[in-house]
Amino acid sequence: MSLIVYGVPLSPYVRKVRLCLAEKALAYQLEIILPFDQPAWFKDINPLQRIPALKDGDVVLADSSVICQYLEDKFPETRALLGTNAVERAQMRWIEKYADYELAPLTTFTVFSQRVLRPSMNQPTDEAVVQLAMQEKLPPLFDYLEKYLGDAEYLVGNNLSLADLAFVCQITNMGYGGERLDEQRWPKLSALYARVKARPSLQAVLPGEQKILASLVKK
Ligand SMILES: N[C@@H](CCC(=O)N[C@@H](CS)C(=O)NCC(=O)O)C(=O)O
């Protein structure tokens, strides 16, 4: 078996796929493809030119959700991450989508981009948009997730799922941008984040990510 993941470690979507692979104990190679400076051949892998993409022999796929779903279907003997029945699978997709499409524009494409990516390209940080995201836009989104989690240990079915990984991937990028979940206001979500962060899957990728982060911040 030779799975290849295309992308860069600091992308939350690439991280989601890597965590999914690690939780499923599937070996893979990471081939570095930058999001905005890609070789011409990558268009054949993903015509949208976004990362991540996956190659499994002759099978080529793009989009982190599609890739994780493929891994779940192709390797049913591995840890299930997409829920164990129709309700859980739907709830998992909902929270994954919520993280990828509602949190991401703020956590990754605002806080992380403004505080890390733009300065690394000698562009100024627009602190006003970061503050708007942190003070006004993200709190109601976190309020919903805090309530959704309730007293459970994980967001869906009380087992680790892709929903938890997608959420943690976004909080990780927000953290790289210098912002944390407020433990007083969102104690249950903060505990979930700490619980997932402590897992070997996340611990295995964080040191490499932090090295890249340090090199970007130094620029
Ligand atoms: N829905 C996609 C989103 C992928 C995505 O937006 N990736 C970003 C990097 S974090 C990218 O490749 N951006 C380059 C572009 O949009 O041209 C997924 O889940 O894989």
Side-chain angles (χ1 to χ4, degrees):
M1 175 178 54
S2 64
L3 296 170
I4 301 174
V5 175
Y6 300 96
V8 286
L10 293 185
S11 156
Y13 305 107
V14 172
R15 185 182 306 113
K16 181 171 21 131
V17 168
R18 297 180 77 197
L19 295 181
C20 177
L21 285 158
E23 291 290 347
K24 289 179 171 294
L26 293 169
Y28 67 96
Q29 274 172 266
L30 177 67
E31 192 160 322
I32 297 298
I33 295 289
L34 298 170
F36 298 109
D37 182 17
Q38 302 173 346
W41 57 262
F42 189 66
K43 249 191 176 165
D44 293 334
I45 302 272
N46 182 1
L48 301 178
Q49 295 183 280
R50 291 196 193 114
I51 53 167
L54 178 88
K55 193 167 184 324
D56 177 18
D58 293 337
V59 178
V60 168
L61 295 167
D63 191 280
S64 61
S65 303
V66 171
I67 292 168
C68 292
Q69 180 132 24
Y70 170 75
L71 295 171
E72 184 98 345
D73 293 343
K74 171 94 191 272
F75 304 103
E77 70 285 4
T78 62
R79 177 195 288 276
L81 288 171
L82 273 76
T84 53
N85 57 46
V87 172
E88 284 181 13
R89 289 173 85 83
Q91 290 171 333
M92 195 294 299
R93 286 194 194 101
W94 161 239
I95 298 297
E96 184 191 20
K97 221 173 181 10
Y98 190 92
D100 286 2
Y101 293 95
E102 305 303 323
L103 297 184
L106 303 162
T107 49
T108 295
F109 299 114
T110 301
V111 178
F112 175 74
S113 294
Q114 288 291 339
R115 292 255 184 86
V116 177
L117 293 185
R118 286 178 62 84
S120 78
M121 296 182 292
N122 292 320
Q123 292 169 3
T125 296
D126 184 344
E127 197 52 36
V129 302
V130 174
Q131 291 311 319
L132 186 67
M134 290 309 304
Q135 306 302 326
E136 289 182 33
K137 294 191 171 175
L138 278 166
L141 298 182
F142 291 150
D143 285 345
Y144 172 77
L145 286 179
E146 177 86 1
K147 206 167 159 198
Y148 194 97
L149 176 62
D151 292 324
E153 292 219 334
Y154 295 102
L155 283 158
V156 173
N158 223 3
N159 284 310
L160 178 82
S161 77
L162 207 53
D164 305 296
L165 299 180
F167 164 70
V168 165
C169 283
Q170 291 306 324
I171 301 305
T172 302
N173 276 71
M174 189 177 94
Y176 290 161
E179 298 291 344
R180 307 177 55 145
L181 267 178
D182 180 344
E183 277 178 44
Q184 306 294 322
R185 180 157 179 188
W186 301 291
K188 293 171 181 173
L189 272 188
S190 301
L192 171 68
Y193 172 62
R195 192 174 303 125
V196 176
K197 190 177 172 189
R199 295 182 71 83
S201 58
L202 213 73
Q203 287 301 313
V205 297
L206 290 180
E209 293 191 7
Q210 283 155 6
K211 247 190 209 165
I212 299 169
L213 181 73
S215 73
L216 284 181
V217 170
K218 226 190 274 164
K219 274 190 182 173

